[in-house]
mmCIF file of all heavy atoms in Angstrom:
data_model
loop_
_atom_site.group_PDB
_atom_site.id
_atom_site.type_symbol
_atom_site.label_atom_id
_atom_site.label_comp_id
_atom_site.label_asym_id
_atom_site.label_seq_id
_atom_site.Cartn_x
_atom_site.Cartn_y
_atom_site.Cartn_z
ATOM 1 N N GLY A 330 12.614 15.337 -12.332
ATOM 2 C CA GLY A 330 13.265 16.562 -12.719
ATOM 3 C C GLY A 330 12.334 17.776 -12.607
ATOM 4 O O GLY A 330 11.375 17.787 -11.872
ATOM 5 N N ARG A 331 12.740 18.820 -13.321
ATOM 6 C CA ARG A 331 11.878 20.060 -13.234
ATOM 7 C C ARG A 331 10.644 19.916 -14.160
ATOM 8 O O ARG A 331 10.756 19.497 -15.239
ATOM 9 C CB ARG A 331 12.680 21.226 -13.647
ATOM 10 C CG ARG A 331 13.809 21.595 -12.726
ATOM 11 C CD ARG A 331 13.872 23.089 -12.485
ATOM 12 N NE ARG A 331 14.711 23.345 -11.337
ATOM 13 C CZ ARG A 331 15.024 24.640 -11.015
ATOM 14 N NH1 ARG A 331 14.651 25.629 -11.708
ATOM 15 N NH2 ARG A 331 15.777 24.833 -9.927
ATOM 16 N N MET A 332 9.550 20.315 -13.692
ATOM 17 C CA MET A 332 8.284 20.269 -14.414
ATOM 18 C C MET A 332 8.196 21.461 -15.463
ATOM 19 O O MET A 332 8.626 22.522 -15.218
ATOM 20 C CB MET A 332 7.068 20.402 -13.498
ATOM 21 C CG MET A 332 6.771 19.073 -12.798
ATOM 22 S SD MET A 332 5.361 18.268 -13.604
ATOM 23 C CE MET A 332 3.989 19.303 -13.166
ATOM 24 N N GLU A 333 7.700 21.106 -16.620
ATOM 25 C CA GLU A 333 7.465 22.063 -17.664
ATOM 26 C C GLU A 333 6.041 21.860 -18.175
ATOM 27 O O GLU A 333 5.618 20.790 -18.671
ATOM 28 C CB GLU A 333 8.456 21.904 -18.782
ATOM 29 C CG GLU A 333 9.699 22.754 -18.567
ATOM 30 C CD GLU A 333 10.679 22.594 -19.771
ATOM 31 O OE1 GLU A 333 10.206 22.646 -20.896
ATOM 32 O OE2 GLU A 333 11.865 22.360 -19.521
ATOM 33 N N LEU A 334 5.255 22.903 -18.205
ATOM 34 C CA LEU A 334 3.946 22.858 -18.663
ATOM 35 C C LEU A 334 3.568 24.103 -19.582
ATOM 36 O O LEU A 334 4.093 25.137 -19.335
ATOM 37 C CB LEU A 334 2.897 22.875 -17.466
ATOM 38 C CG LEU A 334 2.691 21.551 -16.734
ATOM 39 C CD1 LEU A 334 1.813 21.828 -15.515
ATOM 40 C CD2 LEU A 334 2.060 20.426 -17.570
ATOM 41 N N LYS A 335 2.747 23.804 -20.554
ATOM 42 C CA LYS A 335 2.247 24.870 -21.400
ATOM 43 C C LYS A 335 1.062 25.501 -20.753
ATOM 44 O O LYS A 335 -0.014 24.833 -20.540
ATOM 45 C CB LYS A 335 1.963 24.376 -22.725
ATOM 46 C CG LYS A 335 3.128 24.284 -23.642
ATOM 47 C CD LYS A 335 2.942 24.839 -25.099
ATOM 48 C CE LYS A 335 4.114 25.056 -25.778
ATOM 49 N NZ LYS A 335 3.995 25.578 -27.130
ATOM 50 N N LYS A 336 1.156 26.817 -20.362
ATOM 51 C CA LYS A 336 0.040 27.488 -19.682
ATOM 52 C C LYS A 336 -0.175 28.825 -20.399
ATOM 53 O O LYS A 336 0.741 29.383 -21.152
ATOM 54 C CB LYS A 336 0.368 27.778 -18.250
ATOM 55 C CG LYS A 336 0.485 26.533 -17.495
ATOM 56 C CD LYS A 336 -0.786 26.201 -16.781
ATOM 57 C CE LYS A 336 -0.609 25.138 -15.720
ATOM 58 N NZ LYS A 336 -1.913 24.611 -15.283
ATOM 59 N N PHE A 337 -1.361 29.344 -20.196
ATOM 60 C CA PHE A 337 -1.656 30.722 -20.821
ATOM 61 C C PHE A 337 -1.042 31.769 -19.930
ATOM 62 O O PHE A 337 -1.298 31.845 -18.719
ATOM 63 C CB PHE A 337 -3.140 30.894 -20.906
ATOM 64 C CG PHE A 337 -3.537 32.184 -21.578
ATOM 65 C CD1 PHE A 337 -3.526 32.303 -22.950
ATOM 66 C CD2 PHE A 337 -3.817 33.317 -20.838
ATOM 67 C CE1 PHE A 337 -3.808 33.464 -23.645
ATOM 68 C CE2 PHE A 337 -4.129 34.513 -21.500
ATOM 69 C CZ PHE A 337 -4.115 34.602 -22.861
ATOM 70 N N CYS A 338 -0.244 32.660 -20.619
ATOM 71 C CA CYS A 338 0.416 33.698 -19.828
ATOM 72 C C CYS A 338 -0.321 34.958 -20.172
ATOM 73 O O CYS A 338 -0.508 35.344 -21.327
ATOM 74 C CB CYS A 338 1.973 33.716 -20.224
ATOM 75 S SG CYS A 338 2.689 35.242 -19.553
ATOM 76 N N THR A 339 -0.701 35.727 -19.061
ATOM 77 C CA THR A 339 -1.562 36.927 -19.303
ATOM 78 C C THR A 339 -0.516 38.070 -19.729
ATOM 79 O O THR A 339 -0.972 39.018 -20.391
ATOM 80 C CB THR A 339 -2.172 37.344 -18.030
ATOM 81 O OG1 THR A 339 -1.235 37.271 -16.954
ATOM 82 C CG2 THR A 339 -3.416 36.511 -17.738
ATOM 83 N N HIS A 340 0.753 37.997 -19.441
ATOM 84 C CA HIS A 340 1.687 39.008 -19.794
ATOM 85 C C HIS A 340 2.161 38.815 -21.247
ATOM 86 O O HIS A 340 2.407 39.787 -21.855
ATOM 87 C CB HIS A 340 2.851 38.902 -18.853
ATOM 88 C CG HIS A 340 2.508 39.174 -17.416
ATOM 89 N ND1 HIS A 340 2.110 40.506 -16.958
ATOM 90 C CD2 HIS A 340 2.371 38.426 -16.350
ATOM 91 C CE1 HIS A 340 1.783 40.381 -15.712
ATOM 92 N NE2 HIS A 340 1.980 39.178 -15.245
ATOM 93 N N CYS A 341 2.319 37.595 -21.711
ATOM 94 C CA CYS A 341 2.728 37.379 -23.046
ATOM 95 C C CYS A 341 1.540 37.226 -24.053
ATOM 96 O O CYS A 341 1.702 37.168 -25.173
ATOM 97 C CB CYS A 341 3.526 36.023 -23.127
ATOM 98 S SG CYS A 341 5.050 36.068 -22.195
ATOM 99 N N ASN A 342 0.398 37.157 -23.510
ATOM 100 C CA ASN A 342 -0.853 36.973 -24.238
ATOM 101 C C ASN A 342 -0.841 35.778 -25.107
ATOM 102 O O ASN A 342 -1.248 35.795 -26.283
ATOM 103 C CB ASN A 342 -1.034 38.255 -25.153
ATOM 104 C CG ASN A 342 -2.251 39.037 -24.663
ATOM 105 O OD1 ASN A 342 -3.345 38.564 -24.276
ATOM 106 N ND2 ASN A 342 -2.036 40.358 -24.606
ATOM 107 N N GLY A 343 -0.426 34.653 -24.559
ATOM 108 C CA GLY A 343 -0.519 33.351 -25.370
ATOM 109 C C GLY A 343 0.022 32.212 -24.467
ATOM 110 O O GLY A 343 0.388 32.483 -23.292
ATOM 111 N N HIS A 344 -0.016 31.146 -25.030
ATOM 112 C CA HIS A 344 0.464 29.930 -24.343
ATOM 113 C C HIS A 344 2.009 29.823 -24.459
ATOM 114 O O HIS A 344 2.527 29.892 -25.518
ATOM 115 C CB HIS A 344 -0.201 28.677 -24.888
ATOM 116 C CG HIS A 344 -1.570 28.425 -24.451
ATOM 117 N ND1 HIS A 344 -2.651 29.025 -25.096
ATOM 118 C CD2 HIS A 344 -2.021 27.771 -23.373
ATOM 119 C CE1 HIS A 344 -3.728 28.679 -24.416
ATOM 120 N NE2 HIS A 344 -3.430 27.911 -23.378
ATOM 121 N N THR A 345 2.563 29.723 -23.332
ATOM 122 C CA THR A 345 4.086 29.646 -23.226
ATOM 123 C C THR A 345 4.445 28.515 -22.275
ATOM 124 O O THR A 345 3.623 27.908 -21.513
ATOM 125 C CB THR A 345 4.619 30.991 -22.659
ATOM 126 O OG1 THR A 345 4.100 31.245 -21.413
ATOM 127 C CG2 THR A 345 4.383 32.146 -23.588
ATOM 128 N N VAL A 346 5.693 28.204 -22.298
ATOM 129 C CA VAL A 346 6.233 27.148 -21.505
ATOM 130 C C VAL A 346 6.503 27.726 -20.073
ATOM 131 O O VAL A 346 7.094 28.744 -19.933
ATOM 132 C CB VAL A 346 7.518 26.456 -22.030
ATOM 133 C CG1 VAL A 346 8.062 25.553 -21.012
ATOM 134 C CG2 VAL A 346 7.179 25.808 -23.317
#
Side-chain angles (χ1 to χ4, degrees):
R331 292 223 167 173
M332 278 260 289
E333 271 185 44
L334 280 177
K335 278 224 165 182
K336 294 270 193 189
F337 184 83
C338 174
T339 48
H340 299 286
C341 299
N342 250 316
H344 281 86
T345 58
V346 175

